[in-house]
Amino acid sequence: MLSFLLTLILAAGAAGDPPADGITLAPDTEARWIAFDLTPSNQIRFEAVLNGRPVRAVLDTGLTNTLATTEFATRARLAAGKRQQALAIGGGVEVAWAPGGTLVIGGLTRRGGRIAIPDAPGQERFGADLLIGSDVLSCCALDIDYAVRRFRILPSGRMPFTGHTAPLALQRDSEVPVTEIRLGGARLRPMIVDTGDGASVTLSRAAWNSANYRGATLTTTLGWGIGGALVSEAAVLNGFTLAGTALPETELRIEGEGGYSAAAGAAGRIGTGLLLGYRVLLDPRAGRMVLQPAASIPPVLRSTSGLLLGAEGTHLRVLHVMRGSPAAEGGWREGETICTADGLPVAGRPIEWSAGAPGRVVTLTLCDGAERRLTLRKFY
C-alpha cells in the first residue's frame, strides 16, 4: 500500500556550524507523556514547541537532522543560511541550514543546534511542519506506546517495561539507531529503526539477494520520500525474526540497485508499519531495543485491486498499477481518474473496495464516462 518515508542523511557539519546542541531533560521527564496521532502514512505526529510557539511535529528517528518544511520556515522566520546536498529516499535534495533556537518536546529541551530546510517536492505530504531527527532524539531513550498513542523521553538506561530485546546502536557518522533482523537463516544488519518510515520492513537489493528467500510472490508498490516518489518491489511473507522472536506475516519492500539503504550503508529499514504492533523502547546508548507485543497485531492490509489511488477533489487518480494485479491485467494506467465506484461518487468516501474481499466485482466509472469492471483477487 502507499506510504511516506521521511529518512534523510546529511553529511557532517563544516567549520562555522553552530556549537554542539545543548540538550537537557527535566527532572520529571518520565511523567511527561506526549499524546500523538498517526498521519495517514503511520508517522507519529504530536505538538512540540519551537521558540515559544506550538508546532506540529513528526518523530523521525531515521532523520540525521531535524527538518522544517519550507512553508513553515518562512512562516516562523527561520533564518536560512548556507546550503548543502543531502541523501534522501527518492533522490538527493538540497537543504539550507537555519539556527535551531529552543525546541521543547515533553521533558526535553534543546537549545542551539540547527534545522535543515529542504528544497524538495511534495512537502504537503509530510503531515507536519517539523520533523524531529536523531540529532535530538539520540541523546536519550524513547518509550513509544502505540496502543495508547503516547510517548515519552527518558534518560538512557531506564527499563519501564519488559519484552523481547534486540541490540540497538547508533550508526557511525549518521547517528541514527540501527539493529538487526533475520530472514530465514540470513542475519541482516545494520537495519535503521526509522519511525518516519510508514512501511514495515524495507531491504536493499543486496540484502534481499543474500537472504536467498524462496516462495515470495513479488509485486510493485509506490512510496514517497523527501526526494520524491519511488517504486519498489513488494511482497508479504513469513520468515522474519526480530529480537529472537518470529514475526507474523510481514510486508516487505525491496529497493532497486543503488537504492537509499545501500547508499546509507544499511541493509534496510524497520518502520512504523511493523512497530505499531508493539510498545517500543529505543535506547541506543544502553544498547537495546525492547518490544512488548500488543494484545493483538492486525493482519497485513493487502491490495486486491492493484490500484494505488490518490484523492483529488471529486475524483480518484491512479498513482500506480501494481505488477501482476487485476488492474494491470485489465489495462489500467497511471493518471486515469475514477469518479464513481459501484454507482456512488468516490469523493469523500473510503476506498475500502481497493482492498476488498477476493471475488468481489467492482464497477468503476472513469471521469471520461468509460465504465470498467474489476474482479478483486489476492495476487501477492
Side-chain angles (χ1 to χ4, degrees), residues 30-288:
E30 295 192 43
R32 297 197 187 187
W33 286 99
I34 303 163
F36 68 83
D37 69 347
L38 291 175
T39 70
S41 297
N42 285 341
Q43 282 85 30
I44 294 171
R45 181 170 53 196
F46 62 99
E47 186 175 282
V49 177
L50 179 66
N51 295 331
R53 300 173 59 181
V55 56
R56 292 184 312 156
V58 158
L59 199 70
D60 192 346
T61 56
L63 278 174
T64 56
N65 288 80
T66 293
L67 177 153
T69 65
T70 303
E71 189 277 332
F72 173 74
T74 300
R75 178 161 38 94
R77 299 181 180 178
L78 299 182
K82 70 174 186 178
R83 308 187 74 83
Q84 181 183 6
Q85 285 297 123
L87 171 66
I89 295 176
V93 298
E94 187 176 66
V95 301
W97 292 107
T102 299
L103 175 67
V104 179
I105 306 167
L108 179 150
T109 299
R110 182 183 81 162
R111 294 180 176 88
R114 58 184 186 169
I115 293 174
I117 306 167
D119 181 10
Q123 294 188 29
E124 70 280 356
R125 293 184 184 274
F126 290 8
D129 301 313
L130 201 65
L131 313 181
I132 310 298
S134 191
D135 57 330
V136 175
L137 302 173
S138 64
C139 69
C140 310
L142 276 175
D143 178 2
I144 308 172
D145 193 340
Y146 283 101
V148 185
R149 298 291 194 266
R150 64 180 187 172
F151 75 93
R152 57 182 172 170
I153 301 173
L154 307 175
S156 178
R158 295 287 198 268
M159 276 289 285
F161 61 90
T162 59
H164 310 301
T165 301
L168 192 69
L170 294 174
Q171 188 179 34
R172 184 177 298 177
D173 299 329
S174 71
E175 292 288 292
V176 296
V178 292
T179 188
E180 62 184 50
I181 198 169
R182 288 183 178 270
L183 179 56
R187 184 184 184 189
L188 305 175
R189 60 178 182 171
M191 294 287 295
I192 298 171
V193 181
D194 188 357
T195 59
D197 186 341
S200 292
V201 177
T202 300
L203 294 179
S204 69
R205 176 64 58 179
W208 168 248
N209 290 340
S210 73
N212 198 30
Y213 186 89
R214 302 298 182 190
T217 301
L218 299 180
T219 182
T220 55
T221 191
L222 180 67
W224 283 270
I226 290 174
L230 70 160
V231 174
S232 57
E233 289 192 302
V236 176
L237 47 84
N238 290 297
F240 279 113
T241 301
L242 178 63
T245 303
L247 299 180
E249 242 187 2
T250 304
E251 183 184 58
L252 167 69
R253 298 188 180 205
I254 306 164
E255 297 174 328
E257 297 289 350
Y260 173 83
S261 294
R269 302 184 303 279
I270 295 171
T272 303
L274 187 155
L275 300 177
L276 272 170
Y278 302 87
R279 181 175 175 182
V280 180
L281 178 71
L282 301 178
D283 192 352
R285 297 194 181 276
R288 61 181 171 238

Side-chain angles (χ1 to χ4, degrees), residues 315-371:
H315 62 265
L316 301 174
R317 182 173 297 276
V318 178
L319 304 177
H320 180 70
V321 180
M322 300 173 73
R323 188 176 69 204
S325 68
E329 293 171 0
W332 285 80
R333 300 186 304 276
E334 292 177 17
E336 292 183 309
T337 55
I338 300 169
C339 277
T340 70
D342 288 335
L344 297 174
V346 296
R349 296 179 181 273
I351 317 173
E352 51 79 24
W353 54 265
S354 187
R360 176 179 171 183
V361 178
V362 184
T363 301
L364 301 170
T365 304
L366 277 65
C367 297
D368 64 6
E371 186 175 281

